[in-house]
Amino acid sequence: MKTTVYSAKNIVTMNAQKPDASHVAVRDGRILAVGSSDEVATWGPYELDEQFADKVLFPGLVEGHAHTMEGTLWRYVYCGYFDRMDPSGTTHRGNTSIDAVLEALKAAEAKMDDPDSPLTGWQLDPIYLDNKPVTRAQLDNVSATRPIGVLNASGHILYANSKALELASLLKKGVNHPGIPLGADGLPTGELKGPDAMAPVSVHVGMSGSIADVDERGLRDFARLCVRTGVTTVTDLAAKLDPDSVDMMLRVTGEPSFPACVVPLRFFLGLSPKELVPEVARLKKLSTDRLSLGRIKLVADGSIQGYSARLRWPGYHNGAPNGLWYVTPEQMLELYELALEAGLQIHTHTNGDQATQLAIEKLELALRKHPSNDHRFVLQHCQLADRAQFTRMAALGMSVNLFANHQFYWGDEHYTLTVGPDRALRMNAARTALDCGVPLAVHSDAPITPLGPFFTAWCAVNRLTRSGRVQGEHEKITVDEALWAITMGAAHSLHMDGLVGSIEVGKRADFAVLESDPRAANPEEIKDVEIWGTVQGGRVFAAADV
Amino acid sequence: MSKFGAQCKVDASLPQPMSEPLPVTIIGGYLGAGKTTLVNHLLRTAQGRKLAVMVNEFGALPIDEDLIEAQGDDLISIAGGCVCCTFGSDLSAALIELGKLPVRPDQVVIECSGVAIPSAIAASVTLLEGFAPDGTVVLVDAETIRTAAIDDYIGDTILRQLADADLAVINKADLVDVPTLSALESWLSDTAPRAKTIVSEHSKVPLDIALGLGATPIQSQQMGHADGLFDSIALPCADPLDGEPLAKALTDPKLHITRAKGFFDPIPDGPRKALHIVGHRWDITDSPPNAPLGIVCIGVKGQFERDLIRKTAKEAL
Ligand SMILES: [Zn+2]
Ligand SMILES: [Zn+2]
């Protein structure tokens, strides 16, 4: 049996019993020993690998809420406002004006051979561009002959040119749909809001009906992004997991060079609770070292900036009506009961505090019927929970995965428009969650915001909005707490804390290979920790080579 | 974030003859109001009308065992040429797939999920070539609706559903006493102001009321209304007429017309038109060229006065 010992400038273990070490021994993809060179040598002969001698080894990062479809989106034109790194490591400059967006699309258009094939963009966010939607006429300037569609950063709005509307038979007068604004000429302006309005056009702009499911190349590309961001375990939080997609994921993650463990959650859709639970139990048995199946995702409400999240009194700050439920309380309860009974874990998307309240109440009822000591049901996003709710969550054994990045990207809009100053302060209340004893993770929800746990940690530590304002001083957490959240915290939320999340004997040899010790970073600089690559299951992946 | 895909898979696709858009009736209402029972009742009483039922629910298609002829992956065939499939939130894709069925259905029935807002579904139907919304039926559980409507969590959703109704069906009426029922009726006149309210037990709403009279209303009327609870009248429309004043007159609540459908030649001269009335709402659209002239109105027996309708129609023209 071959043992490899890696020496490093420092090994930050996230194991309080031995927080620092200089050597880690790896055998069969697992950690055999951590300590000094003498300590690891007690296990017998080994091969010393000194390639990390000037690096810091840190536990492989765990992203507890992302969507692997980001890998597919990178094949479209990046239209976002912020600089963003693609799977190859190229950083695309942010498009800080509508003109810049149109230029980016034109540049891509110029490179296309087939005159009829669609041009597709993604991640456009007009909130940063004077809050004006991109119009059909503007996109017609890019091309009037090929269909063009640009996805909003939320994934729930599509901007189309005339050709795309024409192909969908929507370039006509008399269109009467709340999601399709009309111009002075009585024709659609090109903005299509909501999945229903988008659907007739999506197929004509190169987006198949099920963009939720990553494709083969997209999954490989997403894994390259993982290497570049130090991530070795990543969730795919709302997967349909039909048989073809499971086969594909098993095959691709099983490739010898696939650098991450993917954790897809089966979306509650298409099957009733009574059918879903046995199906997920069946999927669980198909799990491998790099594809961990057997968890359920339930969506309770919509999004706050889309005004579709369910809020308690006093509702939306701008007077918008309360949001939408995506599940009935009865169905939520039924699914909770059946999953507890079968020992399966559910992650529930709740954005608004009323949705959070409903989930707490229904889980409390379900637990009375099926008492479970360590269910770790997770509320995902849970952006508006208050102290009383965190207290109840702790009492019920729930965990939370907060959307820390939201504070930076949309915190200013939450303050002025969606929820107002009071509740903006308590959004993604990491401090309160920890104080109440709720196990904490924080997430990017990639592709909604970029994958990068150190950036997410920075958001939770600094709580800066895009305009540079600290929003919710009291809810800041420390660098150490944030580092825990992106390793052990996220691992705990997946029941994987015995397997990954720290550099500890017996665990999977998953490391983020860093240029410096993140614990030593100034709180404002934690997002800038340089990442060399990863080690996953004992296999070394240099970002420069993937 | 989340997105969904359609679940209807159909391989064959045949060219369709020129015809009216497929009428789409939306059946809404909270969990337990009787939507599924209504759908099964409609399939059972379809009398040769080919219905395509689309269900926006989690999981198994809730069609009674004895109605099912064959079951595929996502699509089940029902006796009499009806089909049923589920859709996630991608209704549009599912309807587009439905349009490719080798056999064209006569009518589409969408059973909404318990929390769906019917007007949002109707709006997406209007975006699709070849489909037209044809009324929103919202079911109400006579026993529980008043409590549900003030529930912190789902009350506002239920009120939004009722506000969208063209027909509000007070279901399980046998489970409440008369004063409760009449209180419920007057409450509904405020909460479902656009709707014509009808009362039912076990979701037994006659097909012609729930879904209208189909593509050939005069013929369907001649077949009669089996249950005897509803009455109808045919206005012949032999001469060209002005559709708009007629439509407005016929939607007057005191005529108690639940639905009307038929064809007429317009003044001034132009191609033949179709008139649709559901509850208090009307619509005039293009008609297939040779549709038979005449408009059929139907309503609840007892309330519905043939003479008053005839007189009103005459005055409007
Ligand atoms: Zn998500
Ligand atoms: Zn979500």
Side-chain angles (χ1 to χ4, degrees):
Chain A
M1 244 175 304
K2 189 182 154 210
T3 302
T4 305
V5 168
Y6 296 98
S7 62
K9 186 162 74 186
N10 188 13
I11 299 173
V12 180
T13 68
M14 298 303 277
N15 169 13
Q17 292 154 348
K18 194 186 273 181
D20 296 273
S22 59
H23 291 73
V24 56
V26 175
R27 183 188 285 174
D28 285 341
R30 301 170 71 175
I31 297 163
L32 177 69
V34 191
S36 64
S37 79
D38 288 348
E39 283 168 326
V40 303
T42 59
W43 285 91
Y46 60 86
E47 199 173 278
L48 182 65
D49 186 330
E50 295 187 288
Q51 63 174 318
F52 303 136
D54 62 344
K55 312 283 180 215
V56 172
L57 295 186
F58 194 75
L61 306 180
V62 182
E63 171 52 87
H65 186 150
H67 303 272
T68 55
M69 64 176 274
E70 168 152 5
T72 305
L73 289 175
W74 274 111
R75 301 210 291 275
Y76 306 143
V77 182
Y78 178 66
C79 296
Y81 179 87
F82 299 92
D83 294 356
R84 187 149 167 169
M85 185 176 60
D86 74 10
S88 76
T90 306
T91 296
H92 294 244
R93 290 300 302 274
N95 304 287
T96 52
S97 66
I98 292 278
D99 287 341
V101 171
L102 297 172
E103 281 311 313
L105 288 165
K106 271 183 200 155
E109 209 273 342
K111 287 187 210 140
M112 293 171 76
D113 298 327
D114 178 356
D116 297 324
S117 64
L119 175 64
T120 316
W122 68 290
Q123 204 63 15
L124 180 67
D125 201 343
I127 274 187
Y128 308 130
L129 309 172
D130 302 327
N131 226 342
K132 286 203 197 82
V134 174
T135 65
R136 174 165 65 84
Q138 288 170 318
L139 293 175
D140 288 349
N141 271 331
V142 176
S143 170
T145 53
R146 72 169 80 244
I148 302 178
V150 180
L151 260 185
N152 180 282
S154 68
H156 287 292
I157 301 175
L158 182 70
Y159 308 95
N161 73 343
S162 300
K163 184 70 189 177
L165 291 170
E166 186 191 311
L167 290 172
S169 312
L170 284 178
L171 197 61
K172 61 182 179 197
K173 291 191 179 170
V175 173
N176 178 15
H177 190 286
I180 305 185
L182 305 179
D185 56 2
L187 299 173
T189 59
E191 187 182 19
L192 304 162
K193 296 189 271 189
D196 297 335
M198 290 161 63
V201 178
S202 323
V203 285
H204 299 292
V205 295
M207 289 184 291
S208 68
S210 64
I211 200 170
D213 283 339
V214 70
D215 60 4
E216 188 164 333
R217 182 178 152 198
L219 185 55
R220 289 195 194 96
D221 279 344
F222 190 70
R224 294 159 76 200
L225 267 180
C226 289
V227 172
R228 298 185 190 288
T229 51
V231 173
T232 51
T233 303
V234 66
T235 48
D236 187 12
L237 216 77
K240 273 201 301 196
L241 294 180
D242 57 37
D244 288 349
S245 150
V246 173
D247 283 352
M248 183 277 283
M249 285 185 149
L250 283 168
R251 182 162 43 77
V252 171
T253 57
E255 289 165 1
S257 60
F258 192 85
C261 173
V262 179
V263 186
L265 274 64
R266 173 62 165 82
F267 198 10
F268 175 39
L269 181 85
L271 294 178
S272 67
K274 281 189 194 69
E275 298 161 319
L276 180 74
V277 166
E279 165 64 6
V280 174
R282 183 189 72 82
L283 287 170
K284 188 172 188 168
K285 297 199 192 97
L286 302 177
S287 296
T288 65
D289 279 352
R290 294 205 281 279
L291 192 70
S292 178
L293 296 156
R295 300 168 188 81
I296 294 169
K297 165 79 178 291
L298 167 69
V299 175
D301 67 343
S303 75
I304 298 167
Q305 72 274 34
Y307 299 97
S308 53
R310 291 291 311 191
L311 266 54
R312 294 185 298 185
W313 194 87
Y316 286 103
H317 189 243
N318 69 351
N322 208 347
L324 298 171
W325 291 111
Y326 292 130
V327 66
T328 61
E330 289 86 346
Q331 287 161 330
M332 180 187 272
L333 177 62
E334 185 187 3
L335 188 61
Y336 282 0
E337 285 179 356
L338 291 169
L340 286 175
E341 191 179 8
L344 296 175
Q345 189 197 27
I346 297 183
H347 292 239
T348 306
H349 155 129
T350 66
N351 261 316
D353 54 353
Q354 192 189 34
T356 294
Q357 188 69 17
L358 181 69
I360 292 170
E361 287 175 9
K362 294 304 171 194
L363 185 60
E364 185 167 28
L365 286 177
L367 281 166
R368 234 172 263 164
K369 195 158 167 191
H370 298 288
S372 312
N373 286 328
D374 193 24
H375 57 80
R376 297 188 204 179
F377 275 26
V378 181
L379 294 188
Q380 292 282 353
H381 307 321
C382 194
Q383 298 205 69
L384 279 169
D386 65 10
R387 189 176 188 94
Q389 292 181 322
F390 283 117
T391 303
R392 275 182 87 175
M393 287 168 65
L396 294 173
M398 299 170 85
S399 301
V400 74
N401 191 340
L402 294 173
F403 198 166
N405 289 18
H406 229 269
Q407 203 71 18
F408 175 74
Y409 287 103
W410 295 285
D412 293 319
E413 284 71 29
H414 291 316
Y415 187 91
T416 54
L417 290 172
T418 65
V419 297
D422 295 271
R423 287 171 297 173
L425 292 185
R426 78 161 194 244
M427 286 187 83
N428 297 295
R431 170 86 276 134
T432 300
L434 287 176
D435 289 352
C436 293
V438 179
L440 173 75
V442 289
H443 67 266
S444 67
D445 203 10
I448 303 299
T449 76
L451 181 69
F454 285 125
F455 176 79
T456 303
W458 175 86
C459 290
V461 166
N462 296 286
R463 291 187 67 91
L464 283 167
T465 66
R466 183 174 60 95
S467 69
R469 209 161 39 81
V470 173
Q471 187 155 284
E473 179 70 38
H474 171 76
E475 294 298 344
K476 287 180 176 177
I477 57 175
T478 67
V479 168
D480 283 347
E481 286 166 334
L483 293 176
W484 181 269
I486 59 174
T487 53
M488 287 300 288
H492 181 274
S493 77
L494 300 169
H495 285 280
M496 291 175 81
D497 48 326
L499 184 68
V500 298
S502 63
I503 301 179
E504 201 169 334
V505 59
K507 284 193 169 182
R508 189 178 284 166
D510 284 4
F511 314 134
V513 184
L514 311 176
E515 301 291 352
S516 62
D517 183 345
R519 293 173 306 177
N522 286 324
E524 335 45 274
E525 287 164 358
I526 185 159
K527 64 179 166 50
D528 305 318
V529 173
E530 259 184 82
I531 298 160
W532 177 90
T534 58
V535 175
Q536 203 278 340
R539 300 163 306 145
V540 177
F541 299 97
D545 300 338
V546 294
Chain B
M1 69 180 294
S2 49
K3 301 233 186 49
F4 314 86
Q7 297 202 359
C8 293
K9 287 196 202 92
V10 182
D11 334 286
S13 132
L14 291 175
Q16 301 289 340
M18 255 278 288
S19 49
E20 277 194 287
L22 266 181
V24 179
T25 299
I26 294 161
I27 298 181
Y30 196 65
L31 217 62
K35 299 188 296 286
T36 300
T37 317
L38 175 58
V39 164
N40 282 290
H41 174 71
L42 295 174
L43 286 168
R44 217 171 271 289
T45 56
Q47 286 185 326
R49 257 200 252 178
K50 290 194 280 294
L51 307 184
V53 176
M54 317 204 54
V55 182
N56 177 14
E57 253 321 330
F58 300 97
L61 294 168
I63 302 298
D64 291 346
E65 206 69 42
D66 63 301
L67 289 168
I68 295 172
E69 211 156 59
Q71 195 146 8
D73 260 4
D74 306 306
L75 190 74
I76 62 176
S77 308
I78 296 157
C82 301
V83 293
C84 178
C85 71
T86 55
F87 61 97
S89 85
D90 203 347
L91 170 67
S92 313
L95 281 175
I96 290 167
E97 286 302 311
L98 186 76
K100 297 180 191 163
L101 276 176
V103 180
R104 179 183 154 93
D106 298 315
Q107 193 131 18
V108 181
V109 177
I110 298 178
E111 181 187 338
C112 300
S113 84
V115 282
I117 308 297
S119 55
I121 295 195
S124 29
V125 170
T126 64
L127 298 184
L128 297 171
E129 205 77 45
F131 296 90
D134 186 35
T136 295
V137 181
V138 176
L139 285 109
V140 163
D141 181 330
E143 272 197 308
T144 60
I145 184 76
R146 298 296 294 274
T147 325
I150 53 170
D151 183 89
D152 273 352
Y153 293 113
I154 48 139
D156 63 317
T157 302
I158 285 174
L159 294 177
R160 279 192 230 180
Q161 291 172 345
L162 284 169
D164 285 346
D166 296 312
L167 298 178
V169 177
I170 303 180
N171 198 21
K172 309 188 185 180
D174 50 326
L175 302 179
V176 297
D177 57 19
V178 174
T180 308
L181 194 60
S182 53
L184 189 50
E185 281 179 289
S186 77
W187 179 75
L188 279 174
S189 64
D190 292 335
T191 43
R194 284 213 334 239
K196 178 89 187 92
T197 300
I198 58 175
V199 174
S200 83
E201 295 170 14
H202 309 292
S203 301
K204 290 208 168 102
V205 183
L207 185 80
D208 294 348
I209 293 284
L211 304 186
L213 297 159
T216 52
I218 296 279
Q219 279 172 13
S220 351
Q221 194 223 7
Q222 281 155 5
M223 288 169 64
H225 308 294
D227 36 68
L229 294 169
F230 288 81
D231 204 352
S232 64
I233 177 178
L235 306 169
C237 309
D239 300 325
L241 56 86
D242 192 353
E244 201 170 312
L246 177 66
K248 283 183 179 151
L250 293 180
T251 45
D252 185 334
K254 70 174 188 287
L255 297 191
H256 294 289
I257 292 173
T258 314
R259 270 186 181 269
K261 163 92 188 271
F263 305 98
F264 62 92
D265 287 325
I267 307 174
D269 221 24
R272 195 157 286 183
K273 293 282 174 191
L275 171 71
H276 315 254
I277 291 175
V278 197
H280 302 156
R281 205 150 53 100
W282 58 270
D283 198 12
I284 291 173
T285 61
D286 293 339
S287 145
N290 294 317
L293 290 173
I295 294 166
V296 179
C297 311
I298 65 175
V300 180
K301 215 172 212 166
Q303 301 179 328
F304 187 80
E305 282 181 60
R306 292 158 173 253
D307 292 342
L308 182 60
I309 294 171
R310 276 203 195 93
K311 187 166 151 261
T312 311
K314 201 177 243 167
E315 279 166 14
L317 296 174

